[in-house]
PDB file of all heavy atoms in Angstrom:
ATOM      1  N   PRO T 219       2.563 -15.466 -11.090  1.00 96.00           N
ATOM      2  CA  PRO T 219       2.652 -14.664 -12.323  1.00 96.00           C
ATOM      3  C   PRO T 219       1.450 -14.923 -13.234  1.00 96.00           C
ATOM      4  O   PRO T 219       0.878 -15.999 -13.265  1.00 96.00           O
ATOM      5  CB  PRO T 219       3.921 -15.172 -12.967  1.00 96.00           C
ATOM      6  CG  PRO T 219       4.738 -15.749 -11.872  1.00 96.00           C
ATOM      7  CD  PRO T 219       3.781 -16.270 -10.876  1.00 96.00           C
ATOM      8  N   GLU T 220       1.083 -13.836 -13.952  1.00 96.00           N
ATOM      9  CA  GLU T 220       0.009 -13.833 -14.951  1.00 96.00           C
ATOM     10  C   GLU T 220      -1.401 -13.904 -14.369  1.00 96.00           C
ATOM     11  O   GLU T 220      -2.377 -13.964 -15.091  1.00 96.00           O
ATOM     12  CB  GLU T 220       0.193 -14.985 -15.960  1.00 96.00           C
ATOM     13  CG  GLU T 220       1.502 -14.876 -16.738  1.00 96.00           C
ATOM     14  CD  GLU T 220       1.694 -16.014 -17.746  1.00 96.00           C
ATOM     15  OE1 GLU T 220       0.817 -16.910 -17.769  1.00 96.00           O
ATOM     16  OE2 GLU T 220       2.689 -15.987 -18.490  1.00 96.00           O
ATOM     17  N   THR T 221      -1.513 -13.836 -12.999  1.00 97.00           N
ATOM     18  CA  THR T 221      -2.838 -13.838 -12.398  1.00 97.00           C
ATOM     19  C   THR T 221      -3.495 -12.462 -12.606  1.00 97.00           C
ATOM     20  O   THR T 221      -2.948 -11.435 -12.199  1.00 97.00           O
ATOM     21  CB  THR T 221      -2.765 -14.130 -10.873  1.00 97.00           C
ATOM     22  OG1 THR T 221      -2.112 -15.379 -10.668  1.00 97.00           O
ATOM     23  CG2 THR T 221      -4.135 -14.152 -10.255  1.00 97.00           C
ATOM     24  N   ARG T 222      -4.674 -12.464 -13.249  1.00 97.00           N
ATOM     25  CA  ARG T 222      -5.402 -11.210 -13.479  1.00 97.00           C
ATOM     26  C   ARG T 222      -6.122 -10.798 -12.203  1.00 97.00           C
ATOM     27  O   ARG T 222      -6.492 -11.648 -11.372  1.00 97.00           O
ATOM     28  CB  ARG T 222      -6.411 -11.387 -14.624  1.00 97.00           C
ATOM     29  CG  ARG T 222      -5.833 -11.901 -15.925  1.00 97.00           C
ATOM     30  CD  ARG T 222      -4.725 -11.033 -16.463  1.00 97.00           C
ATOM     31  NE  ARG T 222      -5.152  -9.639 -16.636  1.00 97.00           N
ATOM     32  CZ  ARG T 222      -4.359  -8.664 -17.046  1.00 97.00           C
ATOM     33  NH1 ARG T 222      -3.087  -8.893 -17.262  1.00 97.00           N
ATOM     34  NH2 ARG T 222      -4.825  -7.436 -17.199  1.00 97.00           N
ATOM     35  N   PRO T 223      -6.345  -9.484 -12.020  1.00 96.00           N
ATOM     36  CA  PRO T 223      -7.062  -9.032 -10.803  1.00 96.00           C
ATOM     37  C   PRO T 223      -8.501  -9.528 -10.801  1.00 96.00           C
ATOM     38  O   PRO T 223      -9.120  -9.673 -11.850  1.00 96.00           O
ATOM     39  CB  PRO T 223      -7.005  -7.503 -10.917  1.00 96.00           C
ATOM     40  CG  PRO T 223      -6.758  -7.219 -12.364  1.00 96.00           C
ATOM     41  CD  PRO T 223      -5.946  -8.373 -12.883  1.00 96.00           C
ATOM     42  N   ALA T 224      -9.018  -9.833  -9.617  1.00 95.00           N
ATOM     43  CA  ALA T 224     -10.398 -10.260  -9.441  1.00 95.00           C
ATOM     44  C   ALA T 224     -10.913  -9.688  -8.146  1.00 95.00           C
ATOM     45  O   ALA T 224     -10.155  -9.527  -7.181  1.00 95.00           O
ATOM     46  CB  ALA T 224     -10.489 -11.791  -9.451  1.00 95.00           C
ATOM     47  N   PRO T 225     -12.213  -9.360  -8.052  1.00 93.00           N
ATOM     48  CA  PRO T 225     -12.757  -8.744  -6.825  1.00 93.00           C
ATOM     49  C   PRO T 225     -12.426  -9.512  -5.557  1.00 93.00           C
ATOM     50  O   PRO T 225     -12.136  -8.898  -4.515  1.00 93.00           O
ATOM     51  CB  PRO T 225     -14.287  -8.725  -7.112  1.00 93.00           C
ATOM     52  CG  PRO T 225     -14.384  -8.656  -8.587  1.00 93.00           C
ATOM     53  CD  PRO T 225     -13.232  -9.485  -9.102  1.00 93.00           C
ATOM     54  N   ALA T 226     -12.441 -10.851  -5.597  1.00 92.00           N
ATOM     55  CA  ALA T 226     -12.198 -11.625  -4.383  1.00 92.00           C
ATOM     56  C   ALA T 226     -10.776 -11.512  -3.894  1.00 92.00           C
ATOM     57  O   ALA T 226     -10.495 -11.799  -2.718  1.00 92.00           O
ATOM     58  CB  ALA T 226     -12.538 -13.090  -4.666  1.00 92.00           C
ATOM     59  N   PHE T 227      -9.844 -11.111  -4.773  1.00 96.00           N
ATOM     60  CA  PHE T 227      -8.435 -11.080  -4.369  1.00 96.00           C
ATOM     61  C   PHE T 227      -8.093  -9.877  -3.500  1.00 96.00           C
ATOM     62  O   PHE T 227      -7.102  -9.915  -2.780  1.00 96.00           O
ATOM     63  CB  PHE T 227      -7.530 -11.070  -5.619  1.00 96.00           C
ATOM     64  CG  PHE T 227      -7.638 -12.311  -6.478  1.00 96.00           C
ATOM     65  CD1 PHE T 227      -7.160 -12.295  -7.793  1.00 96.00           C
ATOM     66  CD2 PHE T 227      -8.188 -13.499  -5.985  1.00 96.00           C
ATOM     67  CE1 PHE T 227      -7.249 -13.445  -8.589  1.00 96.00           C
ATOM     68  CE2 PHE T 227      -8.275 -14.635  -6.784  1.00 96.00           C
ATOM     69  CZ  PHE T 227      -7.803 -14.595  -8.079  1.00 96.00           C
ATOM     70  N   PHE T 228      -8.861  -8.797  -3.604  1.00 94.00           N
ATOM     71  CA  PHE T 228      -8.452  -7.562  -2.918  1.00 94.00           C
ATOM     72  C   PHE T 228      -8.633  -7.598  -1.400  1.00 94.00           C
ATOM     73  O   PHE T 228      -7.753  -7.136  -0.669  1.00 94.00           O
ATOM     74  CB  PHE T 228      -9.123  -6.359  -3.574  1.00 94.00           C
ATOM     75  CG  PHE T 228      -8.576  -6.095  -4.947  1.00 94.00           C
ATOM     76  CD1 PHE T 228      -9.227  -6.599  -6.062  1.00 94.00           C
ATOM     77  CD2 PHE T 228      -7.393  -5.408  -5.138  1.00 94.00           C
ATOM     78  CE1 PHE T 228      -8.733  -6.395  -7.339  1.00 94.00           C
ATOM     79  CE2 PHE T 228      -6.872  -5.200  -6.403  1.00 94.00           C
ATOM     80  CZ  PHE T 228      -7.549  -5.695  -7.512  1.00 94.00           C
ATOM     81  N   PRO T 229      -9.745  -8.143  -0.873  1.00 93.00           N
ATOM     82  CA  PRO T 229      -9.815  -8.270   0.587  1.00 93.00           C
ATOM     83  C   PRO T 229      -8.674  -9.140   1.138  1.00 93.00           C
ATOM     84  O   PRO T 229      -8.132  -8.852   2.198  1.00 93.00           O
ATOM     85  CB  PRO T 229     -11.193  -8.923   0.812  1.00 93.00           C
ATOM     86  CG  PRO T 229     -11.995  -8.540  -0.373  1.00 93.00           C
ATOM     87  CD  PRO T 229     -11.023  -8.522  -1.514  1.00 93.00           C
ATOM     88  N   ALA T 230      -8.340 -10.226   0.410  1.00 95.00           N
ATOM     89  CA  ALA T 230      -7.231 -11.078   0.838  1.00 95.00           C
ATOM     90  C   ALA T 230      -5.923 -10.305   0.769  1.00 95.00           C
ATOM     91  O   ALA T 230      -5.047 -10.420   1.644  1.00 95.00           O
ATOM     92  CB  ALA T 230      -7.176 -12.354  -0.034  1.00 95.00           C
ATOM     93  N   ARG T 231      -5.749  -9.502  -0.309  1.00 96.00           N
ATOM     94  CA  ARG T 231      -4.549  -8.658  -0.450  1.00 96.00           C
ATOM     95  C   ARG T 231      -4.388  -7.699   0.736  1.00 96.00           C
ATOM     96  O   ARG T 231      -3.292  -7.455   1.238  1.00 96.00           O
ATOM     97  CB  ARG T 231      -4.670  -7.889  -1.754  1.00 96.00           C
ATOM     98  CG  ARG T 231      -3.556  -6.882  -2.106  1.00 96.00           C
ATOM     99  CD  ARG T 231      -3.709  -5.493  -1.454  1.00 96.00           C
ATOM    100  NE  ARG T 231      -4.973  -4.835  -1.720  1.00 96.00           N
ATOM    101  CZ  ARG T 231      -5.160  -3.945  -2.684  1.00 96.00           C
ATOM    102  NH1 ARG T 231      -4.187  -3.632  -3.483  1.00 96.00           N
ATOM    103  NH2 ARG T 231      -6.330  -3.342  -2.801  1.00 96.00           N
ATOM    104  N   ASN T 232      -5.528  -7.168   1.217  1.00 96.00           N
ATOM    105  CA  ASN T 232      -5.483  -6.149   2.264  1.00 96.00           C
ATOM    106  C   ASN T 232      -4.899  -6.660   3.581  1.00 96.00           C
ATOM    107  O   ASN T 232      -4.266  -5.912   4.317  1.00 96.00           O
ATOM    108  CB  ASN T 232      -6.901  -5.597   2.499  1.00 96.00           C
ATOM    109  CG  ASN T 232      -7.411  -4.798   1.340  1.00 96.00           C
ATOM    110  OD1 ASN T 232      -6.657  -4.458   0.428  1.00 96.00           O
ATOM    111  ND2 ASN T 232      -8.693  -4.508   1.330  1.00 96.00           N
ATOM    112  N   ARG T 233      -5.095  -7.969   3.869  1.00 97.00           N
ATOM    113  CA  ARG T 233      -4.541  -8.497   5.123  1.00 97.00           C
ATOM    114  C   ARG T 233      -3.013  -8.496   5.073  1.00 97.00           C
ATOM    115  O   ARG T 233      -2.345  -8.448   6.116  1.00 97.00           O
ATOM    116  CB  ARG T 233      -5.078  -9.900   5.389  1.00 97.00           C
ATOM    117  CG  ARG T 233      -4.303 -11.026   4.680  1.00 97.00           C
ATOM    118  CD  ARG T 233      -4.987 -12.353   4.762  1.00 97.00           C
ATOM    119  NE  ARG T 233      -4.158 -13.464   4.364  1.00 97.00           N
ATOM    120  CZ  ARG T 233      -3.785 -13.758   3.124  1.00 97.00           C
ATOM    121  NH1 ARG T 233      -4.213 -13.006   2.104  1.00 97.00           N
ATOM    122  NH2 ARG T 233      -3.016 -14.801   2.875  1.00 97.00           N
TER     123      ARG T 233
END
Side-chain angles (χ1 to χ4, degrees):
E220 299 180 355
T221 303
R222 305 303 304 177
F227 296 164
F228 290 96
R231 177 277 304 265
N232 293 347
R233 85 190 193 286

